[in-house]
Amino acid sequence: MLLMLGMTANATVDENFYIFLCFGQSNMEGNARPEAQDLVSPGPRFLLMPAVDDPQRGRKMGEWCEAVPPLCRPNTGLTPADWFGRTLVASLPENIKIGVIHVAIGGIDIKGFLPDSIPSYIKRAPQWMKGMLAAYDNNPYQRLVTLAKKAQKDGVIKGILMHQGETNTGDPQWARMVKEVYDNLCGDLQLKPEEVNLYAGNIVQADGKGVCIGCKKQIDELPQTLHTSQVISSDNCSNGPDRLHFDAAGYRELGCRYGEAVARFLGYEPRRPKMEIAKKIEVPADAFIAETTVPGNEFPKLDSQRRGYFYLNAPDAKKVVLDICDKKYDMQPDGKGGWMCVTDPLVVGFHYYFMNIDGVNFIDPATETFFGCNREAGGIEVPEGPEGNYYRPQKGVPAGQVRSIYYWSESSKAWRHAMVYTPAEYEKGKKKYPVLYLQHGMGEDETGWSKQGHMQHIMDNAIASKEAVPMIVVMESGDIKAPMGRGQSMGDYGASFYPVLLNDLIPYIEANFRVKTDRENRAMAGLSWGGHQTFDVVFNHLDKFAWLGTFSGAIFNLDVNNAYNGVFTKADELNKKIHYFYMNSGTEGMDKMFRTEETVKKLNDLGVKAVYSKSEGTAHEWLTWRRGLNQFITHIFK
């Protein structure tokens, strides 16, 4: 955020505005990706005078703004100067503001800051550095001095921060050249050396395996050449995998140490700003890649406790949240552009999930996609044990087919899509089969039962074991793929499908598949809102269907005495027409709100032979519905 500070060329210098010059190479430039805590502004007491324009953030060179990373140039990372400023804000009185001017170039030799050496250095600089040098008009030293003179009209320069040396590892002239840069700055800016120290940060050590570890000794010895310098220790500062740059935690720690050194020199007791220390997520050895993970990805994973491990590469994100099983988890940045989290133990079965980057929902690119929640969604299968074999393909069990069909609907004046399951034996003869019209729930589509529900495996296994008779299963979108429209009543939602089903889809199936066409060989079932549709269709068209099932059916406040023209009050007549009337629900979450068991009891009290079963431990989810379908199909067409 740009700040209107009221600072002009003629304004009185604010003696309580402490300004610090920051220069060096890549570790001062900032190599690690800022994490969430780094991107929260410390407020108007910590300011940056940008050394280059940054249109994306509304920053202009030479105009003070709040100091939020990147402090160097656009697309650079977290720098020690970030937490240096935060530490001073925490340590110094509230009437004191901190300002930084930041000029740094990855890989630059100390000669790149010596006015007499800059022209020749520019000529021999490597190609990859030329764009960075050009950002400072090929004279980084002059850019630093020009901005520092402008800043002196607003406040007082109190120190110079440097992190440089890696490129000059082993150069016996390095300390002398650093002193020359310092002396030039003091002379050009009329600074008193005894009041303005040089603070030199040490290099990445990586437990003695740092790429430039040989530079440590020459930095440690800098005060022998420059008596007004202090060396900022990098002992135990964590680093990235290149062993050349610090990671985000390392930059924070080193920055705080710079700030503590300056606070002491200024006569204040150092205080560290609040810093979140994220506990590293350890993936246990027993974790395995979920079956719904796209091949080639290491995550999502599950462990033996059914905890999910999720990873996302989102280097520019400020906040990433995982949303799964009605709970949100803040993902932790790893300092390298990645974000990770671990969930609580998940209920077995299939679950939709989303990730959210900075307020926007999206699909995890590492997972297969599934249509649910009115959109494509990520999904994860948390495996059951052997009890889940009924919905898994089994060796030796003949496999049916799930076909994709398009048909013309005169009722809706449109081509429509449906999925049709045919049993394994369908291809081998001329036999005709009964038909189950099977509906999905609100916000899902016709692929749900075969993709999320594993309907085809449930059918294959039940038919092979002779628990179910061979049948054809038809799945259509049901006009409940889109969310309920504004002003639309719940009674109207999905009702446009009813004439399509009766006048278009059933005739198409009977004309194009070998099926039996009487009501005795026609069933309808559905999950959630598909269960609601099943009630509406079947109980208004008992001449068309003889079997009915709902799984977590959205049957709200059913008036058993008056609904569907009082059909439930004529129990004997209804029982003769509906040969199997089945309803199931889970025991958790939303399914408890539907009160399915209570509805079945009311029907039973009227003499209606409705059957209820509960899915223990599951909620409004696919495992509940798989279990319901598996039971329902063993009782129909018999």
Side-chain angles (χ1 to χ4, degrees):
M1 182 178 73
L2 292 178
L3 298 179
M4 303 303 292
L5 297 177
M7 296 178 179
T8 67
N10 298 318
T12 302
V13 172
D14 184 353
E15 297 291 336
N16 290 321
F17 185 20
Y18 292 179
I19 297 166
F20 298 85
L21 311 183
C22 307
F23 77 97
Q25 58 185 101
S26 57
N27 272 316
M28 180 57 77
E29 184 183 67
N31 187 262
R33 295 285 181 181
E35 299 177 355
Q37 61 182 311
D38 308 314
L39 294 166
V40 177
S41 172
R45 285 185 61 207
F46 181 29
L47 306 176
L48 167 71
M49 178 179 280
V52 297
D53 289 339
D54 187 348
Q56 180 182 349
R57 297 174 177 83
R59 295 176 177 175
K60 292 185 179 181
M61 181 178 67
E63 296 185 6
W64 293 108
C65 62
E66 287 189 7
V68 179
L71 301 187
C72 190
R73 299 183 309 280
N75 303 317
T76 56
L78 190 67
T79 163
D82 281 295
W83 284 79
F84 158 76
R86 293 167 187 260
T87 301
L88 287 187
V89 167
S91 303
L92 274 56
E94 291 186 1
N95 65 319
I96 296 177
K97 297 194 300 291
I98 308 300
V100 294
I101 301 171
H102 200 284
V103 175
I105 296 175
I108 195 169
D109 191 293
I110 192 63
K111 295 182 182 71
F113 290 98
L114 286 172
D116 293 341
S117 303
I118 289 173
S120 61
Y121 183 77
I122 297 296
K123 290 180 182 179
R124 58 184 174 83
Q127 188 63 39
W128 54 264
M129 191 186 291
K130 291 188 180 298
M132 295 185 282
L133 288 165
Y136 302 114
D137 292 332
N138 290 318
N139 196 328
Y141 175 84
Q142 189 57 49
R143 179 64 57 86
L144 185 62
V145 169
T146 298
L147 295 179
K149 288 181 176 179
K150 183 176 183 180
Q152 284 179 308
K153 298 173 183 177
D154 302 321
V156 181
I157 295 175
K158 290 287 187 176
I160 301 169
L161 278 57
M162 181 188 77
H163 200 288
Q164 198 281 335
E166 293 93 336
T167 298
N168 294 87
T169 299
D171 186 346
Q173 299 300 315
W174 177 78
R176 179 191 62 77
M177 289 187 284
V178 170
K179 182 178 185 304
E180 187 176 345
V181 174
Y182 173 77
D183 289 343
N184 287 336
L185 287 171
C186 289
D188 289 339
L189 299 172
Q190 299 181 12
L191 305 176
K192 296 179 180 179
E194 64 273 15
E195 296 178 358
V196 181
N197 278 348
L198 175 77
Y199 301 87
N202 223 314
I203 45 79
V204 165
Q205 297 185 46
D207 297 322
K209 298 178 182 179
V211 172
C212 297
I213 192 66
C215 186
K216 181 178 185 302
K217 185 173 184 293
Q218 69 187 41
I219 295 175
D220 283 337
E221 294 176 351
L222 179 62
Q224 296 177 18
T225 301
L226 180 58
H227 302 303
T228 53
S229 66
Q230 288 190 39
V231 176
I232 308 303
S233 171
S234 62
D235 292 355
N236 301 314
C237 287
S238 54
N239 56 274
D242 62 2
R243 293 181 289 114
L244 180 63
H245 299 99
F246 299 99
D247 61 12
Y251 282 117
R252 283 192 285 269
E253 177 62 29
L254 189 63
C256 287
R257 293 178 185 180
Y258 272 105
E260 289 168 340
V262 171
R264 292 190 187 99
F265 180 77
L266 295 174
Y268 297 99
E269 183 67 27
R271 293 182 181 179
R272 287 207 171 191
K274 183 179 180 181
M275 188 183 302
E276 296 177 10
I277 301 176
K279 184 178 179 182
K280 185 178 179 182
I281 297 173
E282 300 290 344
V283 181
D286 64 9
F288 57 92
I289 297 173
E291 66 179 73
T292 39
T293 299
V294 173
N297 291 279
E298 291 297 315
F299 295 90
K301 283 184 174 179
L302 294 156
D303 66 16
S304 59
Q305 304 301 310
R306 304 194 310 275
R307 291 174 296 199
Y309 297 82
F310 295 81
Y311 175 84
L312 177 71
N313 185 43
D316 294 325
K318 297 179 181 178
K319 183 178 180 65
V320 182
V321 177
L322 173 75
D323 186 345
I324 185 169
C325 295
D326 298 321
K327 187 168 182 178
K328 292 180 171 61
Y329 299 87
D330 288 332
M331 299 186 73
Q332 297 180 15
D334 62 6
K336 303 165 190 174
W339 299 75
M340 192 172 183
C341 76
V342 58
T343 70
D344 296 335
L346 301 171
V347 176
V348 292
F350 175 88
H351 307 288
Y352 297 116
Y353 74 92
F354 295 96
M355 289 179 174
N356 184 292
I357 292 182
D358 300 335
V360 180
N361 277 338
F362 76 104
I363 306 168
D364 179 2
T367 182
E368 298 284 356
T369 57
F370 306 83
F371 195 88
C373 310
N374 305 115
R375 56 169 291 182
E376 293 291 344
I380 188 169
E381 182 75 33
V382 182
E384 287 190 281
E387 68 274 15
N389 285 343
Y390 71 91
Y391 57 79
R392 302 183 183 117
Q394 299 296 314
K395 186 176 180 180
V397 171
Q401 297 181 13
V402 179
R403 310 178 185 208
S404 173
I405 66 164
Y406 287 88
Y407 68 100
W408 175 257
S409 167
E410 191 62 30
S411 302
S412 61
K413 304 295 183 185
W415 287 97
R416 297 179 66 104
H417 183 235
M419 309 297 290
V420 180
Y421 166 84
T422 55
E425 65 178 48
Y426 183 82
E427 308 301 319
K428 299 178 181 179
K430 297 183 179 180
K431 177 181 174 181
K432 292 187 176 182
Y433 296 88
V435 186
L436 166 61
Y437 291 87
L438 182 62
Q439 292 306 115
H440 58 84
M442 181 185 294
E444 292 162 334
D445 73 0
E446 63 274 17
T447 65
W449 267 111
S450 55
K451 195 169 183 182
Q452 292 98 286
H454 300 322
M455 170 279 310
Q456 65 275 34
H457 306 318
I458 296 173
M459 297 301 307
D460 290 341
N461 292 327
I463 291 170
S465 66
K466 300 189 183 304
E467 294 179 6
V469 302
M471 68 185 78
I472 285 175
V473 183
V474 180
M475 296 150 283
E476 223 267 17
S477 74
D479 293 344
I480 56 174
K481 185 175 179 179
M484 188 178 298
R486 181 175 296 179
Q488 184 179 18
S489 70
M490 295 184 72
D492 292 336
Y493 183 63
S496 56
F497 173 60
Y498 304 159
V500 173
L501 171 66
L502 298 169
N503 302 328
D504 302 309
L505 181 56
I506 291 176
Y508 176 88
I509 295 298
E510 293 180 350
N512 290 276
F513 290 85
R514 299 194 314 274
V515 299
K516 297 177 180 179
T517 59
D518 60 309
R519 69 177 299 276
E520 297 294 317
N521 288 285
R522 198 180 294 129
M524 187 170 180
L527 69 89
S528 192
W529 200 260
H532 182 98
Q533 291 180 305
T534 297
F535 261 48
D536 283 357
V537 170
V538 172
F539 291 125
N540 283 314
H541 300 279
L542 288 168
D543 59 322
K544 305 286 187 187
F545 301 89
W547 317 84
L548 176 149
T550 71
F551 321 119
S552 302
I555 314 299
F556 304 107
N557 302 315
L558 182 68
D559 183 349
V560 296
N561 294 306
N562 298 298
Y564 305 112
N565 296 316
V567 67
F568 302 121
T569 62
K570 305 168 187 176
D572 291 342
E573 182 179 336
L574 180 62
N575 292 335
K576 291 176 182 178
K577 291 183 178 180
I578 299 298
H579 305 321
Y580 188 63
F581 182 173
Y582 172 79
M583 300 178 74
N584 98 319
S585 66
T587 59
E588 309 300 322
M590 185 187 298
D591 271 23
K592 292 189 293 187
M593 296 167 48
F594 289 166
R595 299 181 177 178
T596 304
E597 186 173 12
E598 181 180 318
T599 297
V600 172
K601 185 179 184 303
K602 290 179 180 179
L603 292 169
N604 292 161
D605 290 344
L606 291 175
V608 176
K609 295 180 179 179
V611 176
Y612 172 75
S613 73
K614 66 177 64 175
S615 174
E616 290 288 350
T618 61
H620 204 66
E621 57 190 281
W622 278 100
L623 188 53
T624 302
W625 310 327
R626 291 173 186 170
R627 290 173 176 175
L629 177 66
N630 190 49
Q631 179 164 336
F632 178 65
I633 59 175
T634 63
H635 291 85
I636 61 176
F637 306 132
K638 293 183 177 180

